[in-house]
C-alpha cells in the first residue's frame, strides 16, 4: 500500500515536471540577440573577466551561514510546543543546541569563520 502510494506520487511529480518543461519549451518566447548573451552582475555590466575564481572560503562561509540559519529555524516549532513536550522536549532542544555549538566551535577552530 505505502509503496504504491510512493510510486504514484513519484510518477505524478515526474509527469507534472515533464509536462510543464515541454509546455515551457513549446510556448515560451524565443528571442535571441547579442545583448541577452552578455553577462550581467546585479543588472550592471561586468568589468574585466567574467569567469574568475573565488576563494573556497567564501563558499564555505555561505554554506555555514545557511546551515546555522536553517538549523535555528527548527527552534521555532519547538518553542511553540515546548510546554506540551515537557522535560523530554527540553532535553532534546538542549541536545540540539549542544550539537549546534559543537559545530560552531569546530568551524571556528578550523578557521572557517575567518573572513580574509
Amino acid at each position: 500500500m505505502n509503496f504504491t502510494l510512493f510510486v504514484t506520487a513519484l510518477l505524478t511529480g515526474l509527469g507534472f515536471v515533464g509536462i510543464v518543461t515541454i509546455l515551457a519549451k513549446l510556448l515560451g518566447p524565443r528571442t535571441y540577440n547579442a545583448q541577452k548573451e552578455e553577462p550581467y552582475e546585479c543588472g550592471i555590466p561586468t568589468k574585466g573577466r567574467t569567469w574568475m575564481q573565488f576563494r573556497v572560503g567564501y563558499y564555505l562561509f555561505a554554506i555555514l551561514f545557511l546551515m546555522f540559519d536553517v538549523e535555528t529555524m527548527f527552534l521555532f516549532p519547538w518553542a511553540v510546543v515546548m510546554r506540551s513536550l515537557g522535560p523530554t522536549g527540553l532535553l532534546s532542544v538542549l541536545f540540539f543546541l549542544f550539537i549546534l555549538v559543537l559545530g560552531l566551535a569546530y568551524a571556528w577552530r578550523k578557521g572557517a569563520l575567518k573572513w580574509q
Side-chain angles (χ1 to χ4, degrees), residues 11-90:
L11 291 177
T12 303
L14 289 174
F16 181 71
V17 169
I19 289 171
V20 169
T21 303
I22 291 170
L23 283 175
K25 288 281 187 189
L26 292 175
L27 302 175
R30 290 184 205 104
T31 56
Y32 301 105
N33 56 35
Q35 189 175 12
K36 282 191 174 186
E37 297 298 322
E38 289 183 17
Y40 281 87
E41 185 173 316
C42 300
I44 301 171
T46 59
K47 295 178 181 171
R49 292 184 11 220
T50 55
W51 290 100
M52 54 188 270
Q53 291 182 344
F54 291 98
R55 290 174 39 110
V56 72
Y58 298 132
Y59 298 109
L60 183 59
F61 196 84
I63 288 172
L64 284 171
F65 173 76
L66 287 175
M67 181 180 71
F68 285 109
D69 190 41
V70 169
E71 286 179 349
T72 53
M73 283 180 49
F74 284 122
L75 293 176
F76 181 74
W78 272 330
V80 171
V81 295
M82 189 63 190
R83 289 190 181 168
S84 65
L85 294 177
T88 307
L90 178 63

Side-chain angles (χ1 to χ4, degrees), residues 64 67-68 101-114:
L64 284 171
M67 181 180 71
F68 285 109
V101 169
L102 279 181
L104 181 62
Y106 178 77
W108 195 343
R109 178 90 174 172
K110 288 291 188 176
L113 301 176
K114 289 182 183 175

